[in-house]
Amino acid sequence: MTLPPVIAIDGPTASGKGTVASLVAEKLGFHYLDSGALYRLVALASEKEGIDVKNGPKLGVLAQKLVISFEKGQIFLNGENVTEAIRTEAIGLRASALATHTEVRSALVGLQHGFRQHPGLVADGRDMASVIFPDAILKVFLTASAQARAERRYKQLIAKGISAKLDDLLRDLQERDARDSSRGAAPLIVAEGAKVLETSDLSIDQAVKAVLDWYQSKGA
Ligand code: DC
């Protein structure tokens, strides 16, 4: 039996890949994997258990035993709804730090492969095209300037009533970009054969259309 097709969408933090990937999945009737959420779940759980972010072996064991479920856009960790709790800047930075450990990355591979179900999957993250789904039918590297990404994140937070400073957000995302791109294990890279989509001046609809057009041009 042939494996369901995968569209892999990688990119830096706040590039809009989550929004674009979930809309593409919706349009095609495909499943959706937000792989960053898995690293954020390990970040939240390890913070609760007081595990040092430098302790790769202990974090790997923790990542293996997490009971995670995704239901109708809500995310549950060991039965608790943590959809909002994993979205903070602090959890994002912690996730980026612990994602450097191979023990953590390997513990999450099987879980990610499990999302590949018929009729297909749209997966977003940092290493979807390079490591997790190297046979993806379409590989997209979605990006935008650091300034544009910081402004988007700022607007999202303010809209949610969360106070934020643009300068702090810009500094945090540059720190995260540098770490995600320079780490030894599965760094954020433009995978071979990936199409680069620069979204600084694109609307969400335009970005979604570009991905769908590429997918259709694959004869899918
Ligand atoms: O996409 P995000 O901001 O929710 O991801 C949070 C962190 O998780 C990111 O800074 C690095 C890590 N991550 C990763 O290493 N590999 C992935 N496929 C997805 C996220």
Side-chain angles (χ1 to χ4, degrees), residues 10-14 17 34-37 39-40 87 91-93 95-97 99-100 105 112 124-128 132 153 176 180 183 185-186:
D10 292 301
T13 191
K17 62 189 184 320
D34 169 7
S35 64
Y39 291 90
R40 287 171 180 268
R87 294 294 159 202
I91 288 295
L93 282 171
S96 165
T100 58
R105 307 201 70 82
Q112 294 175 84
D124 92 57
R126 304 292 187 287
D127 61 343
M128 297 299 96
I132 305 294
R153 173 72 39 97
R176 204 125 69 90
D180 292 351
R183 68 183 178 213

Side-chain angles (χ1 to χ4, degrees), residues 3 23 25 29-30 34 38 50 71 83 96 131 140 155 157 176 183 188 190 198 207:
L3 283 168
L23 286 170
F30 279 15
D34 169 7
L38 304 179
E71 286 163 38
T83 316
S96 165
V131 177
V140 178
K155 282 185 197 149
L157 290 172
R176 204 125 69 90
R183 68 183 178 213
L188 171 67
V190 181
E198 221 302 340

Side-chain angles (χ1 to χ4, degrees), residues 189-212:
I189 48 159
V190 181
E192 208 181 312
K195 292 183 178 297
V196 177
L197 187 58
E198 221 302 340
T199 67
S200 302
D201 299 317
L202 292 188
S203 67
I204 291 167
D205 285 351
Q206 287 170 320
V208 170
K209 186 174 180 310
V211 177
L212 289 171

